Amino acid sequence: MIEETKMNSTTPEVAAELRARPAFVMVSHVKPDGDTLGAGLALGLALKRLGKRVAYFQQDPVPRNLRFLPDSQHVSRDLPENLPPDTLYVFCDMSDSARAGEFLPPITRENVLDVDHHLGNARFGALNYVLETECSTGTVVMHLLRELGVPIDRDIATCILATIMTDTGGFMHSNTTPEVLTLSAELMHLGANKEQITEEIFANKRLAALKLLGRALNEAQVEHDGRYIWSYVDEAMLAECRADGEDTEEIVNHLRSVEGVEVSALFKAYDGDIRVSLRSSGRVNVQAAASRLGGGGHFRASGLTFVGPLPDAVRAVDEALAAEGL
Ligand code: AMP
Ligand code: MN
Ligand code: MN
């Protein structure tokens, strides 16, 4: 890849492009979270206020706990017909475009804007707006909203606050800077409904999810002198607890919270390939470990997809973590 395509676009350049285009598709990643979806909805709502045509593409359905987000009822894996040829596709919160899944039609690079905060983002758009120091893609979007001068109404404020609360783990992770708290307070003044976000995203667990957590904790293995803990979820465990993939979300964070643990891993061995979630307490770079196996993410939270049986996945992840100093 040539060097220019690696560069970031400036805030005014991206805002000018947004003003120039008539229509947009906001694109979220597969297995969506509150950041990818909230960032797209916030920018989509703002662009609608500017009179633009906006659609939301997401391959997977909106998770139950995110259905309260304004405009999420319009999210679909089917794109509207008759989109103009200069429609801009805005990929939110993904380090490469493959994270959008397989259902998008072919899109030429000139119609792609990549908005993200992941380390090692591939800069796959004609315009790339990647701010690695931001806590969420929603706060990256916030810079664009300010540049565009769009009024932040309560719906937009709720979407942005949801991205912050998702990616900071409810203001718990180390990316919760004073600036993040100041912005969050500002969003609450603008009408963001923090209580609703807390209730819907964090306090709304199905009993099945808690049973599955218990089941996964029972299977947990502690290795590397207590610095590493891993577990798995397979089809049988899901069936036994009457749970589904959405109920696995928090398990890896609970594993990480165990005393002395530096890295936790959860192997999701259902739906074909094995999806692995990694979390770090801050010493080991799990983004670097995941990228050794074709995945990515952040220093303290990353993921990858492994093709092969579970024991091979467990061994490969152990080796990647060891190579990163676990
Ligand atoms: P998760 O464990 O699914 O919550 O993901 C944690 C972080 O890793 C998020 O920032 C994801 O975007 C990223 N991530 C998860 N899976 C992958 C993957 N297969 N490839 C690249 N990044 C991933
Ligand atoms: Mn995400
Ligand atoms: Mn994010």
Side-chain angles (χ1 to χ4, degrees), residues 29 33-36 92-94 116-118 134-138 163 166-167 298:
H29 62 67
D33 53 47
D35 189 27
T36 190
C92 296
D93 192 47
M94 56 193 108
D116 188 29
H117 68 136
H118 285 92
E134 290 294 331
C135 73
S136 70
T137 298
T163 73
T166 298
D167 275 21
H298 308 279

Side-chain angles (χ1 to χ4, degrees), residues 119-120 278 284-292 295-303:
L119 296 175
L278 298 173
V284 177
N285 181 351
V286 292
Q287 184 269 337
S291 56
R292 286 175 180 271
H298 308 279
F299 195 101
R300 290 171 182 245
S302 70

Side-chain angles (χ1 to χ4, degrees), residues 132-174:
E132 293 174 355
T133 56
E134 290 294 331
C135 73
S136 70
T137 298
T139 63
V140 177
V141 162
M142 197 64 205
H143 291 278
L144 297 175
L145 301 187
R146 290 204 161 116
E147 182 73 20
L148 288 168
V150 196
I152 312 290
D153 62 20
R154 67 174 56 224
D155 282 354
I156 296 174
T158 294
C159 289
I160 303 277
L161 187 59
T163 73
I164 294 172
M165 290 175 65
T166 298
D167 275 21
T168 62
F171 305 117
M172 297 264 279
H173 302 334
S174 62

